[in-house]
Amino acid sequence: MKQAISLLRKVIVPLICALSISILSFPAYAVTGFLTNLSGLHGIQGIWEERNEGLYSDYTGDAFAMSETSADNFTYEVEITFNRQSGAASLVFRANDTGDRSYVANLDKNQGNVRIFKFTDTGAITIGEAPIPDPSKSSYRLKVQAVGPQINYYVDGQLVISINDTQYSVGKLGLLTFSTSITYQNLWYTPITDDTLPELTSLTIQGVEFSPAFNSTIRNYSAVIPFATESVKVTVSSPHAVTMRVL
């Protein structure tokens, strides 16, 4: 049994006010239910419309919506609903203005998987892949946590991919719809600062070997625990309060 151990600082995040944005020009009486704290989010390809249920998108091919919000270390999350059971919905981060140089965390109904990939000068390169936790659903919550080269991707609160990559360290936040119709809602960005950055000074797991070797800059470790093992003792130290999640 392989369990990924994710170590995160316990932080208090101030309540974020819900903001409405306009992707296109609407009459003054139009009502929108799309909530986000990104600035200047706008569609580049395809249809992007604010509707009561959220931000509606539809296109055949890659349709980016990019914001003016730039981030280096952050948590970035959204609720997605597939209006058609095909194609892919994605979070785009550390991107250029148009999204064609970026990291992408997607959920692909056609392939039945979730991926982290990056758009580069030579095309799209997959750097992490896993099955969709529940492919029968139509709605999911996607979340990316990026700190330095470490990128963690969660679907419905479950850690599905954890990778290290150094290609992009900072850039714009956005969305990407591929060959389907998606409604996005509750699109939130929370910066991770020096005050909230996860930090450990030691880690031991009694009776179990884990990898990689402890390093204060690493925030995810894995250990192979035999099925017959009834319990393990994990000890950590940190200058701050720490929450440990075993996934």
Side-chain angles (χ1 to χ4, degrees):
M1 176 174 64
K2 188 173 182 180
Q3 296 181 319
I5 300 175
S6 179
L7 305 170
L8 304 172
R9 279 278 312 279
K10 184 181 292 182
V11 299
I12 299 174
V13 179
L15 179 65
I16 300 172
C17 296
L19 301 179
S20 296
I21 63 168
S22 292
I23 305 305
L24 300 173
S25 296
F26 287 87
Y29 57 82
V31 177
T32 175
F34 177 51
L35 304 178
T36 184
N37 63 345
L38 299 189
S39 299
L41 186 63
H42 60 283
I44 298 176
Q45 302 93 1
I47 299 171
W48 294 88
E49 296 176 349
E50 290 187 31
R51 298 184 177 181
N52 288 343
E53 62 272 22
L55 180 61
Y56 173 87
S57 68
D58 197 336
Y59 194 58
T60 300
D62 285 333
F64 285 92
M66 297 303 301
S67 77
E68 297 303 320
T69 301
S70 185
D72 51 5
N73 299 325
F74 55 86
T75 298
Y76 184 38
E77 55 193 315
V78 71
E79 297 167 5
I80 61 168
T81 298
F82 283 83
N83 303 314
R84 295 194 297 269
Q85 293 298 306
S86 61
S90 310
L91 290 168
V92 178
F93 53 100
R94 293 179 176 172
N96 63 356
D97 290 343
T98 57
D100 58 0
R101 301 294 182 272
S102 62
Y103 289 116
V104 177
N106 86 345
L107 188 150
D108 191 323
K109 283 288 191 176
N110 293 342
Q111 301 297 322
N113 63 14
V114 294
R115 288 192 299 153
I116 296 178
F117 62 93
K118 57 186 177 181
F119 284 115
T120 70
D121 292 338
T122 58
I125 301 172
T126 298
I127 49 181
E129 184 175 342
I132 298 175
D134 185 352
S136 66
K137 296 174 54 178
S138 296
S139 297
Y140 302 86
R141 171 169 283 278
L142 311 182
K143 182 174 76 171
V144 168
Q145 184 183 67
V147 178
Q150 181 75 43
I151 302 172
N152 291 339
Y153 180 24
Y154 301 81
V155 176
D156 292 336
Q158 177 181 336
L159 179 64
V160 290
I161 300 173
S162 181
I163 58 99
N164 278 272
D165 194 86
T166 59
Q167 179 110 28
Y168 306 119
S169 60
V170 64
K172 302 290 181 63
L173 301 176
L175 299 169
L176 173 61
T177 295
F178 173 73
S179 292
T180 190
S181 172
I182 302 289
T183 299
Y184 297 90
Q185 182 58 280
N186 291 313
L187 178 64
W188 302 116
Y189 148 71
T190 305
I192 297 176
T193 65
D194 289 342
D195 292 336
T196 59
L197 190 67
E199 180 183 2
L200 292 180
T201 54
S202 69
L203 167 67
T204 59
I205 306 178
Q206 185 175 325
V208 175
E209 294 185 2
F210 63 90
S211 63
F214 175 75
N215 185 303
S216 61
T217 64
I218 297 174
R219 294 165 183 85
N220 292 279
Y221 299 87
S222 62
V224 178
I225 303 174
F227 282 105
T229 302
E230 294 185 357
S231 64
V232 295
K233 182 179 180 181
V234 181
T235 304
V236 300
S237 61
S238 171
H240 311 284
V242 171
T243 295
M244 181 177 66
R245 295 177 182 173
V246 180
L247 304 170

